[in-house]
Amino acid sequence: MAVTSAMLKEQNGKSALGDALSGAVAGAVGVMALDQVANFMYSRENKEALERERKARAQVGGTEMGPASVATEKISRGLKLELTSKQSETVANVIHYGLGILPGALYGMALGRNEKMGADRGFLYGLALFAINDELLALKLGLVAGPKEYPWQAHARGLAAHVAMGVATYGVFKLFSRIR
């Protein structure tokens, strides 16, 4: 969807561009919340589930890379670039955060136009990102193994982390809305 000048005009004293920027920053904070929840849950997972997840990850790319790292590998190969491990890590982080910042900007624009959209306080937004990014796009792009390869705990962790991301994104966006 192309952003037109009409979409960026003020509505209720707030600009769509300001809403997009607030949403982008909120999306970055949302990724931080996602990481915290995922890391907390991962550190408490049972060994059998972790081993099954490691095996599933190794099916894609031959190592235990996460989806952003697999995407980095595919992009660098496609562009015939040889990245150092530090460069690969940086690109993977850009991809990881980008998957929160870009949707966060769009979410911010939508929230700025329709206050009722956020009545769930970000829960449905996080749920949608989980379903679209983790369960659909990552699979279709070959960034993850099939869903049955992973233990249920990995799916539950992803769901909880994305819901936390959605709630954090919403909360930070609303905070910015009050300040602006």
Side-chain angles (χ1 to χ4, degrees):
M1 176 174 103
V3 177
T4 65
S5 61
M7 294 171 72
L8 299 177
K9 288 185 180 170
E10 288 194 15
Q11 182 175 333
N12 300 328
K14 295 180 183 173
S15 72
L17 181 59
D19 289 338
L21 292 173
S22 294
V25 172
V29 173
V31 172
M32 291 179 208
L34 175 142
D35 287 342
Q36 292 298 311
V37 169
N39 289 337
F40 176 82
M41 292 177 75
Y42 191 84
S43 71
R44 284 154 180 78
E45 226 163 86
N46 72 54
K47 291 183 195 289
E48 293 83 21
L50 290 173
E51 185 56 32
R52 185 170 168 204
E53 184 172 350
R54 284 186 192 108
K55 287 179 181 175
R57 283 185 171 201
Q59 290 178 25
V60 182
T63 64
E64 297 174 23
M65 295 188 298
S69 295
V70 173
T72 299
E73 180 91 7
K74 286 182 172 221
I75 292 167
S76 63
R77 263 187 289 152
L79 295 173
K80 296 180 179 19
L81 297 174
E82 289 194 36
L83 302 178
T84 66
S85 60
K86 182 68 175 159
Q87 290 169 326
S88 291
E89 183 181 331
T90 299
V91 172
N93 280 325
V94 168
I95 291 169
H96 180 62
Y97 273 87
L99 290 171
I101 292 170
L102 179 59
L106 297 172
Y107 183 58
M109 287 177 67
L111 282 173
R113 299 293 167 256
N114 183 357
E115 293 273 333
K116 293 179 184 177
M117 182 179 172
D120 66 324
R121 293 183 166 65
F123 178 86
L124 292 177
Y125 172 68
L127 182 64
L129 285 180
F130 168 72
I132 293 167
N133 288 350
D134 274 25
E135 299 295 316
L136 180 65
L137 287 178
L139 179 63
K140 294 293 182 192
L141 294 172
L143 305 178
V144 296
K148 292 181 181 178
E149 301 299 321
Y150 293 89
W152 68 267
Q153 293 94 329
H155 297 285
R157 182 177 65 243
L159 174 61
H162 279 83
V163 167
M165 175 187 183
V167 170
T169 301
Y170 173 82
V172 171
F173 178 82
K174 292 309 277 184
L175 177 65
F176 285 157
S177 291
R178 289 187 186 113
I179 295 169
R180 294 190 350 204

